[in-house]
């Protein structure tokens, strides 16, 4: 048995975990070294180094930051056994999904974590989350991109922040937890590292011309024309399993036709968090889906669809290739694609 301590690289990016109180409110100021110093027990099971890539509130995260984080992991990939990214919780689900597309088939674990309370407070979830993340990143059976938060391990494409204040802020949407961590012990529910066959693959580009339209009952279709003038892919977050409003004016219908004719990518999804879309159930979705051959998210999270489109569009705009890539499973992101 190999009892050597695992080498882990901790990458700090800011967020509440690194915040201190100031007159202007919580602000990320702690450095990566200072964060590590709060979890001395980690030295019992791993040898951790720390680098600072950013120190921002994750409200300010942008696709170029995802490329920086993935770039830091790629640069040090051969030198470490696992990676822990400390990140703000607000956009953590987007970053975890983006990293899932930028770094595929990684046999080494890449963990994203953060906290609801700063690590320098007496009562905080930060120390447990960081220690759990280092434990999971040191686990030989762990692989790929995952969120570790509040004792749960969530596939990087399945996380969603569902609570703004509680410690159990993140849920795994339409997918089971990968593992739980109790008192530093990892209990796997999905233990499948031996199924990894392809080598790790890094991608270096994202295309951010992706927009989201959340439907409300008063909306008119003109907003789609506006979005199409500025973006190349539009995700329409519809109601229930999915449909497009039919009005006497036919405004949405006509706007979708114009978008499709202009070569825009339209992906239908749902405002309902759990169980996903299926446009083929109701007449109000099925007709328009068939007429324009619309794509849909099915059981993918919004965060996964947004970042997957950015990854796809950096490689192709060819409609059949976009369809094939959107429906191909990456890091457990999609199970159902409408085929029974
Ligand atoms: N606003 C903070 C951030 O996302 C919230 C947090 O980290 O919990 O950076």
């Amino acid at each position: 048995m190999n009892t050597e301590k695992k080498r882990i690289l901790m990458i700090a990016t800011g967020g509440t975990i690194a915040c201190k109180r100031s007159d202007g409110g919580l602000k990320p100021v702690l450095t990566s070294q200072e964060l590590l110093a709060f979890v001395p027990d980690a030295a019992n099971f791993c040898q951790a180094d720390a680098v600072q890539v950013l120190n921002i509130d994750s409200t300010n995260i942008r696709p170029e930051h995802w490329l920086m984080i993935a770039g830091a992991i790629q640069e040090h990939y051969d030198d470490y056994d696992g990676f822990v990214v400390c990140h703000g919780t607000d956009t953590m689900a987007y970053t975890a999904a983006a990293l899932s597309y930028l770094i595929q088939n990684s046999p080494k674990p890449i963990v994203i974590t953060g906290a609801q309370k700063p690590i320098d407070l007496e009562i905080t979830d930060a120390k447990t989350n960081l220690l759990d993340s280092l434990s999971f990143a040191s686990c030989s059976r762990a692989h790929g991109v995952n969120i570790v938060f509040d004792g749960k391990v969530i596939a990087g494409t399945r996380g969603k922040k569902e609570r703004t204040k509680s410690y159990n802020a993140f849920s795994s949407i339409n997918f089971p937890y990968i593992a739980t961590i109790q008192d530093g012990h990892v209990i796997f529910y999905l233990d499948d590292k031996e199924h990894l066959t392809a080598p790790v693959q890094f991608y270096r580009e994202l295309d951010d011309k992706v927009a989201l339209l959340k439907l409300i009952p008063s909306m008119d279709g003109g907003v789609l024309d506006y979005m199409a003038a500025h973006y190349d892919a539009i995700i329409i977050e519809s109601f229930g399993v999915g449909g497009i409003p039919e009005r006497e004016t036919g405004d949405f219908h006509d706007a979708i036709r114009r978008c499709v004719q202009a070569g825009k990518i339209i992906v239908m999804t749902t405002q309902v968090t759990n169980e996903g879309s299926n446009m083929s159930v109701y007449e109000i979705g099925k007709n328009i889906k068939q007429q324009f051959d619309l794509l849909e998210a099915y059981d993918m999270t919004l965060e996964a669809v947004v970042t997957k489109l950015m990854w796809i569009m950096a490689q192709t705009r060819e409609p059949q290739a976009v369809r094939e890539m959107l429906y191909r499973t990456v890091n457990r992101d999609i199970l159902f694609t409408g085929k029974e």
Side-chain angles (χ1 to χ4, degrees), residues 77-78 102-108 110 197-202:
Y77 196 77
D78 294 336
L102 290 173
I103 310 170
Q104 298 186 23
N105 309 314
S106 172
K108 298 185 180 184
I110 297 161
T197 46
V200 62
Q201 187 164 10
F202 287 88

Side-chain angles (χ1 to χ4, degrees), residues 16-17 39 89 92 113-133 148-151 164-170:
T16 295
I17 191 167
V39 289
T89 61
M92 186 186 290
T113 196
Q116 292 284 54
K117 298 280 180 209
I119 204 162
D120 72 343
L121 296 189
E122 205 167 322
I123 298 176
T124 175
D125 54 337
K127 287 177 207 159
T128 307
N129 286 349
L130 184 50
L131 215 46
D132 283 352
S133 298
V148 169
F149 210 93
D150 192 41
T164 54
K165 296 168 188 168
S166 305
Y167 287 174
N168 60 342
F170 285 87

Side-chain angles (χ1 to χ4, degrees), residues 14-17 56-59 87-91 115-117 161:
T16 295
I17 191 167
I56 59 171
D57 190 297
S58 78
T59 303
H87 196 284
T89 61
D90 291 344
T91 56
Q116 292 284 54
K117 298 280 180 209
K161 186 173 180 181

